[in-house]
């Protein structure tokens, strides 16, 4: 009967028993860190004999074995203090750095151009929808021939969906408007700041109380009167009596000769 136990350092790599050696004898051999072979085999191989371990059935001749470090299949260093970087050459494309960089720049430039065009188109469409339509632009300005309005008369025209009163005032009406004590007015404003030419009075024909349309050449002051709640305006469009808090609005207009352009 024979037994063979091989060790690499203190770690057992292979254990093979072909005899009924006691476990206590095997542990003693393993703890000594030596290789045990049968006594007869040691003598035949010509190797020197060492410590002899025996059991009740078999005697052994032991001798020390060289320490062999275990090697790993990894091709790079691992652990603290290592500096070797693993190679990813098998996973990279086979082209030069210059061509790869040029492709990257091309893709970035193309993407930027596409995004810029899309943003420009979106903003242009948004602003186009916000702009006034053709019919609204047509109503943005209104023109009128002032030579058709007699002195002392008032004409109502439409501008941006609102009525506009154009009054050709007499000299007496101009003097009355300039002779008003401003301290007595609910919304103090002199006549000269409300007209471009003294004989022409242009106001938006909407009452500043609740948005009603006053009647022309009426009221206690000869200007406009709102019958809804009793607001009285003078020939300058200023509130003189009633619940209206403000004077009538003056639109933007230009007078060139006999041509009036509102808006």
């Amino acid at each position: 009967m024979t037994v063979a136990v091989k060790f690499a350092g203190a770690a057992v790599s292979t254990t093979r028993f072909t005899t009924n050696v006691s476990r206590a004898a095997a542990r003693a051999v393993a703890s000594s860190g030596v290789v045990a072979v049968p006594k007869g085999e040691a003598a035949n191989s010509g190797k020197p004999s060492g410590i002899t371990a025996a059991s009740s059935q078999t005697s052994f001749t032991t001798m020390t074995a060289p320490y062999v470090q275990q090697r790993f299949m990894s091709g790079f260093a691992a652990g603290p203090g290592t500096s070797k970087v693993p190679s990813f050459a098998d996973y990279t494309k086979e082209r030069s750095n210059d061509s790869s960089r040029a492709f990257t720049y091309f893709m970035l430039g193309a993407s930027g151009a596409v995004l810029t065009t899309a943003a420009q188109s979106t903003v242009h469409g948004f602003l186009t929808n916000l702009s006034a339509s053709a019919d609204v632009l047509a109503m943005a300005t209104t023109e009128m021939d002032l030579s058709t309005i007699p002195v002392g008369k008032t004409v109502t025209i439409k501008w941006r969906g609102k009525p506009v009163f154009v009054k050709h005032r007499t000299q007496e009406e101009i003097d009355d408007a300039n002779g008003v004590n401003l301290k007595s007015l609910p919304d103090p404003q002199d006549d000269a700041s409300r007209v471009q030419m003294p004989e022409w009075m242009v106001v938006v024909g909407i009452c500043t109380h609740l948005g009603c349309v006053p009647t022309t050449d009426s009221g206690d002051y000869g200007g406009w009167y709102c019958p809804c709640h009793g607001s009285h305006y003078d020939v300058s469009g200023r509130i003189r009596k009633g619940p209206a808090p403000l004077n009538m609005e003056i639109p933007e207009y230009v007078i060139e000769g006999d041509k009036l352009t509102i808006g």
Side-chain angles (χ1 to χ4, degrees):
M1 292 183 294
T2 61
V3 61
V5 182
K6 296 183 180 181
F7 298 87
V12 178
S13 60
T14 303
T15 302
R16 183 181 48 149
F17 289 96
T18 57
T19 182
N20 55 351
V21 180
S22 65
R23 294 183 178 179
R27 291 195 193 99
V29 174
S31 62
S32 64
V34 297
V35 176
V37 297
K39 183 175 181 182
E41 295 181 6
N44 296 331
S45 61
K47 297 181 180 179
S49 298
I51 304 171
T52 301
S55 66
S56 59
Q57 300 179 7
T58 307
S59 61
F60 295 91
T61 299
T62 61
M63 57 184 174
T64 59
Y67 178 80
V68 179
Q69 183 179 4
Q70 185 177 2
R71 306 299 296 177
F72 298 94
M73 298 300 296
S74 176
F76 59 93
T82 59
S83 59
K84 186 177 179 181
V85 179
S87 175
F88 298 96
D90 295 337
Y91 304 97
T92 58
K93 49 191 175 183
E94 297 179 357
R95 60 176 65 182
S96 63
N97 293 333
D98 293 338
S99 61
S100 179
R101 187 181 300 108
F103 177 77
T104 302
Y105 290 160
F106 172 77
M107 292 301 298
L108 289 176
S111 301
V114 171
L115 291 177
T116 302
T117 303
Q120 181 181 5
S121 177
T122 302
V123 173
H124 181 269
F126 179 74
L127 295 179
T128 301
N129 291 332
L130 290 180
S131 62
S133 58
D135 56 342
V136 173
L137 292 176
M139 298 176 59
T141 59
T142 300
E143 296 180 354
M144 183 178 183
D145 185 6
L146 297 177
S147 63
T148 60
I149 305 175
V151 178
K153 297 298 180 178
T154 303
V155 174
T156 303
I157 60 177
K158 187 176 182 180
W159 172 68
R160 295 182 180 177
K162 298 181 290 186
V164 175
F165 299 147
V166 181
K167 185 176 182 63
H168 194 173
R169 301 190 298 181
T170 64
Q171 186 60 44
E172 182 182 359
E173 291 173 336
I174 296 173
D175 295 339
D176 290 343
N178 289 324
V180 175
N181 183 8
L182 298 181
K183 294 182 180 180
S184 64
L185 299 176
D187 185 14
Q189 194 174 18
D190 63 338
D191 182 72
S193 63
R194 293 177 59 81
V195 295
Q196 295 184 15
M197 299 178 66
E199 64 270 23
W200 294 107
M201 186 69 224
V202 182
V203 294
V204 177
I206 296 177
C207 179
T208 58
H209 180 218
L210 293 177
C212 303
V213 178
T215 59
T216 62
D217 300 327
S218 59
D220 295 345
Y221 301 92
W224 294 272
Y225 171 69
C226 181
C228 298
H229 301 93
S231 296
H232 295 259
Y233 299 88
D234 62 11
V235 293
S236 185
R238 297 173 297 192
I239 181 63
R240 300 293 295 273
K241 184 172 67 175
L246 301 173
N247 301 329
M248 296 173 73
E249 180 187 356
I250 304 296
E252 296 183 0
Y253 68 93
V254 176
I255 298 177
E256 298 176 346
D258 292 335
K259 180 181 178 182
L260 170 65
T261 303
I262 304 176

